[in-house]
Amino acid sequence: MTGMSRARVARRIAAGAAYGGGGIGLAGAATVGLLVAEAQLARRRVGNGTTPHVPNADGLYGAAYTVPGEPALRLTMLGDSTAAGQGVHRAGQTPGALLASGVAAIAERPVGLSTVAVPGACSDDLDRQVTRALADPSRVPDVCVIMIGANDVTHRMPATRSVRHLASAVRRLRTAGAEVVVGTCPDLGTIEPVWQPLRWLARRASRQLAAAQTIGAVEQGGRTVSLGDLLGPEFAAHPRELFGPDSYHPSVEGYATAAMAVLPTACAALGLWPAEEERPDAARREGFLPVARAAAEAASEAGTEVTAAMPSGPRGAWALLKRRRRRRVPETEPEPSTQPS
């Protein structure tokens, strides 16, 4: 599928989500339906990420930066098992802990982490999670990171429905005053026990959803970061390093890779990134594009950020596509200095 074709499909899915359509499936529901038996076999072999333990990483990071009278920044993680950190054993190995520690170091301010993500969640759980995140109006998060979509694909949720729930979540969080960064659907075509042709269909469905998620999130004022290729070439080349013991959830190194891809965008959303890096760099093929084209490009390249730009143009809304440099993974594993009571 060409970039223009991917853009058209993503735009059609996003439009269906916005205007109440529900009939657009991922990669052709009928075709996927013929492979249900194979998908169930693959799910049994993978284990579907049934490792029950999820470390509690909530707490305060970067306490050494505390200044009397200056409140800590607030970071909330929403989404599925990838956002929660299922598959690792220590709090400091979760993406939330890595992001909180990274933001604290760059901002030189403490960061309070709260996690409402739930392993196994699909996008239709985001409404409940957002309600939890905004339960205390006096403690609205400064930035929310949402990682969602893999379970939508494996459960064959219609893409329009998936994007509608995500867009609603982004809109509610932005209306409350929180910045929002969405890590879009990872590339499920890289999971080791999945065979062809299901692997190809999973990759196609994942990228279609990631592109449509980008349009839905950006049009509601959020930013997106593509996680697709982080679960693509790197995970495929190093499956024993970048997937956990169940071959479904990322390992410690895999979560660190994903967190470091999201970190620059989270910092940019908070106004913490160097001003010179906010300008598009033509040498890195950055620039302004119609949002659907930007979404299609981002879905094919990990670490690519898309954020709203000009509100309208000849072909609708426009977006800024950025290929931010990744920062080094912290050499020491972060731990919260305090746990919530």
Side-chain angles (χ1 to χ4, degrees), residues 5-15 207-208 211-212 215 292 295-296:
S5 297
R6 284 194 297 269
R8 283 194 295 269
V9 171
R11 167 54 68 194
R12 193 167 72 248
I13 293 170
R207 291 189 177 186
Q208 283 181 2
I215 297 172

Side-chain angles (χ1 to χ4, degrees), residues 6 37 48 60 68 86 142 155 168 182 192 216 245 265 279 287 308 311:
R6 284 194 297 269
N48 201 30
L60 188 70
Q86 184 173 358
D142 293 287
H155 289 78
S168 174
V182 177
E192 270 198 311
T265 301
R279 293 188 292 270

Side-chain angles (χ1 to χ4, degrees), residues 27 37-38 55 181 186 194 197 199 214 252 255 296:
E38 185 178 340
V181 177
V194 177
R199 182 187 294 265
T214 296
V252 174
Y255 277 124

Side-chain angles (χ1 to χ4, degrees), residues 271-282 284 286 320 322 324-325 327:
L272 302 172
W273 214 239
E276 61 271 16
E277 290 199 20
E278 292 306 291
R279 293 188 292 270
D281 184 345
R284 288 188 286 177
E286 298 178 345
L320 173 61
K322 295 278 294 176
R324 296 190 184 275
R325 299 183 182 92
R327 294 320 198 207

